[in-house]
Short mmCIF file of all heavy atoms in Angstrom, two decimals:
data_model
loop_
_atom_site.label_atom_id
_atom_site.label_comp_id
_atom_site.label_asym_id
_atom_site.label_seq_id
_atom_site.Cartn_x
_atom_site.Cartn_y
_atom_site.Cartn_z
N GLU A 5 103.97 99.97 87.59
CA GLU A 5 103.72 99.92 86.14
C GLU A 5 104.03 98.55 85.56
O GLU A 5 103.22 97.99 84.82
CB GLU A 5 104.58 100.99 85.45
CG GLU A 5 104.39 101.09 83.94
CD GLU A 5 103.13 101.83 83.56
OE1 GLU A 5 103.16 103.07 83.51
OE2 GLU A 5 102.09 101.16 83.32
N LEU A 6 105.17 98.00 85.90
CA LEU A 6 105.54 96.70 85.36
C LEU A 6 104.62 95.60 85.89
O LEU A 6 104.24 94.68 85.16
CB LEU A 6 107.00 96.38 85.70
CG LEU A 6 107.56 95.09 85.08
CD1 LEU A 6 107.47 95.13 83.57
CD2 LEU A 6 109.00 94.87 85.52
N SER A 7 104.24 95.72 87.15
CA SER A 7 103.33 94.74 87.73
C SER A 7 101.99 94.71 86.99
O SER A 7 101.46 93.63 86.69
CB SER A 7 103.08 95.07 89.21
OG SER A 7 104.28 95.03 89.95
N ARG A 8 101.48 95.89 86.66
CA ARG A 8 100.15 95.99 86.05
C ARG A 8 100.16 95.70 84.54
O ARG A 8 99.18 95.20 84.01
CB ARG A 8 99.59 97.40 86.29
CG ARG A 8 99.26 97.70 87.76
CD ARG A 8 98.00 96.97 88.23
NE ARG A 8 97.76 97.12 89.65
CZ ARG A 8 97.09 98.12 90.21
NH1 ARG A 8 96.63 99.11 89.46
NH2 ARG A 8 96.89 98.15 91.51
N THR A 9 101.26 96.04 83.86
CA THR A 9 101.26 95.88 82.40
C THR A 9 101.78 94.53 81.93
O THR A 9 101.38 94.04 80.87
CB THR A 9 102.09 96.98 81.71
OG1 THR A 9 103.42 96.96 82.24
CG2 THR A 9 101.48 98.34 81.89
N GLU A 10 102.67 93.91 82.70
CA GLU A 10 103.28 92.66 82.26
C GLU A 10 103.08 91.50 83.23
O GLU A 10 103.51 90.38 82.95
CB GLU A 10 104.78 92.86 82.02
CG GLU A 10 105.12 93.80 80.88
CD GLU A 10 104.78 93.24 79.50
OE1 GLU A 10 104.57 92.02 79.39
OE2 GLU A 10 104.71 94.03 78.54
N GLY A 11 102.47 91.77 84.39
CA GLY A 11 102.31 90.69 85.37
C GLY A 11 103.62 90.26 85.98
O GLY A 11 103.77 89.11 86.40
N ILE A 12 104.58 91.16 86.03
CA ILE A 12 105.90 90.89 86.62
C ILE A 12 106.14 91.89 87.74
O ILE A 12 106.19 93.09 87.51
CB ILE A 12 107.02 91.02 85.57
CG1 ILE A 12 106.83 90.03 84.42
CG2 ILE A 12 108.39 90.80 86.23
CD1 ILE A 12 107.77 90.26 83.25
N ILE A 13 106.25 91.38 88.97
CA ILE A 13 106.56 92.25 90.11
C ILE A 13 108.07 92.26 90.29
O ILE A 13 108.66 91.25 90.66
CB ILE A 13 105.87 91.75 91.40
CG1 ILE A 13 104.35 91.66 91.20
CG2 ILE A 13 106.20 92.66 92.57
CD1 ILE A 13 103.60 91.02 92.36
N PRO A 14 108.73 93.39 90.00
CA PRO A 14 110.19 93.42 90.07
C PRO A 14 110.68 93.72 91.48
O PRO A 14 109.98 94.30 92.31
CB PRO A 14 110.55 94.59 89.14
CG PRO A 14 109.41 95.55 89.34
CD PRO A 14 108.18 94.70 89.56
N ALA A 15 111.91 93.35 91.76
CA ALA A 15 112.56 93.81 92.99
C ALA A 15 112.66 95.33 92.94
O ALA A 15 112.75 95.93 91.87
CB ALA A 15 113.95 93.20 93.10
N LEU A 16 112.65 95.95 94.12
CA LEU A 16 112.78 97.42 94.16
C LEU A 16 114.10 97.87 93.53
O LEU A 16 114.17 98.94 92.92
CB LEU A 16 112.68 97.93 95.60
CG LEU A 16 111.28 97.90 96.22
CD1 LEU A 16 111.34 98.33 97.68
CD2 LEU A 16 110.31 98.80 95.44
N GLU A 17 115.15 97.05 93.68
CA GLU A 17 116.41 97.38 93.04
C GLU A 17 116.22 97.44 91.52
O GLU A 17 116.58 98.42 90.87
CB GLU A 17 117.48 96.32 93.39
CG GLU A 17 117.94 96.35 94.84
CD GLU A 17 116.97 95.66 95.81
OE1 GLU A 17 116.01 95.00 95.34
OE2 GLU A 17 117.18 95.78 97.03
N SER A 18 115.66 96.37 90.97
CA SER A 18 115.45 96.30 89.52
C SER A 18 114.52 97.40 89.03
O SER A 18 114.66 97.86 87.88
CB SER A 18 114.85 94.93 89.15
OG SER A 18 115.55 93.87 89.76
N ALA A 19 113.57 97.81 89.86
CA ALA A 19 112.61 98.84 89.46
C ALA A 19 113.30 100.15 89.10
O ALA A 19 112.77 100.95 88.31
CB ALA A 19 111.58 99.06 90.57
N HIS A 20 114.48 100.40 89.68
CA HIS A 20 115.23 101.60 89.30
C HIS A 20 115.63 101.54 87.83
O HIS A 20 115.51 102.54 87.10
CB HIS A 20 116.49 101.73 90.17
CG HIS A 20 116.21 102.16 91.58
ND1 HIS A 20 115.61 101.34 92.51
CD2 HIS A 20 116.45 103.34 92.22
CE1 HIS A 20 115.50 101.99 93.66
NE2 HIS A 20 116.01 103.20 93.51
N ALA A 21 116.09 100.38 87.38
CA ALA A 21 116.46 100.22 85.97
C ALA A 21 115.24 100.29 85.07
O ALA A 21 115.28 100.89 83.99
CB ALA A 21 117.19 98.89 85.77
N VAL A 22 114.14 99.69 85.52
CA VAL A 22 112.90 99.73 84.75
C VAL A 22 112.43 101.17 84.57
O VAL A 22 112.03 101.58 83.47
CB VAL A 22 111.80 98.88 85.43
CG1 VAL A 22 110.48 99.00 84.67
CG2 VAL A 22 112.23 97.42 85.53
N ALA A 23 112.52 101.95 85.64
CA ALA A 23 112.08 103.35 85.59
C ALA A 23 112.84 104.14 84.54
O ALA A 23 112.26 104.89 83.74
CB ALA A 23 112.25 104.01 86.96
N TYR A 24 114.16 103.96 84.53
CA TYR A 24 114.94 104.72 83.54
C TYR A 24 114.68 104.20 82.13
O TYR A 24 114.62 104.99 81.18
CB TYR A 24 116.43 104.67 83.85
CG TYR A 24 117.19 105.60 82.94
CD1 TYR A 24 117.22 106.97 83.20
CD2 TYR A 24 117.81 105.14 81.79
CE1 TYR A 24 117.86 107.84 82.35
CE2 TYR A 24 118.46 106.01 80.93
CZ TYR A 24 118.48 107.36 81.21
OH TYR A 24 119.11 108.23 80.36
N ALA A 25 114.53 102.90 81.97
CA ALA A 25 114.27 102.33 80.65
C ALA A 25 112.95 102.84 80.07
O ALA A 25 112.86 103.12 78.86
CB ALA A 25 114.24 100.80 80.73
N ILE A 26 111.93 102.99 80.90
CA ILE A 26 110.65 103.53 80.46
C ILE A 26 110.83 104.97 79.96
O ILE A 26 110.33 105.35 78.90
CB ILE A 26 109.61 103.47 81.60
CG1 ILE A 26 109.19 102.02 81.86
CG2 ILE A 26 108.39 104.33 81.28
CD1 ILE A 26 108.32 101.82 83.08
N LYS A 27 111.57 105.75 80.74
CA LYS A 27 111.83 107.14 80.35
C LYS A 27 112.62 107.21 79.04
O LYS A 27 112.30 108.00 78.14
CB LYS A 27 112.62 107.82 81.48
CG LYS A 27 112.78 109.32 81.33
CD LYS A 27 113.73 109.89 82.38
CE LYS A 27 113.34 109.53 83.80
NZ LYS A 27 114.25 110.16 84.80
N LEU A 28 113.63 106.35 78.93
CA LEU A 28 114.47 106.33 77.74
C LEU A 28 113.70 105.87 76.51
O LEU A 28 113.80 106.49 75.43
CB LEU A 28 115.67 105.40 77.99
CG LEU A 28 116.64 105.17 76.84
CD1 LEU A 28 117.34 106.47 76.46
CD2 LEU A 28 117.67 104.10 77.22
N ALA A 29 112.93 104.79 76.65
CA ALA A 29 112.19 104.23 75.52
C ALA A 29 111.23 105.24 74.90
O ALA A 29 111.05 105.28 73.68
CB ALA A 29 111.43 102.98 75.96
#
């Protein structure tokens, strides 16, 4: 999701935080 919407490929570690932030937001 982050790769496609913002052009930012996150580390798999960071993607855990991104996943929860999307749910929370």
Side-chain angles (χ1 to χ4, degrees):
E5 182 78 84
L6 186 58
S7 299
R8 293 287 174 87
T9 56
E10 295 291 344
I12 299 171
I13 302 173
L16 287 175
E17 291 79 9
S18 312
H20 286 71
V22 176
Y24 188 79
I26 289 172
K27 189 188 305 183
L28 177 64

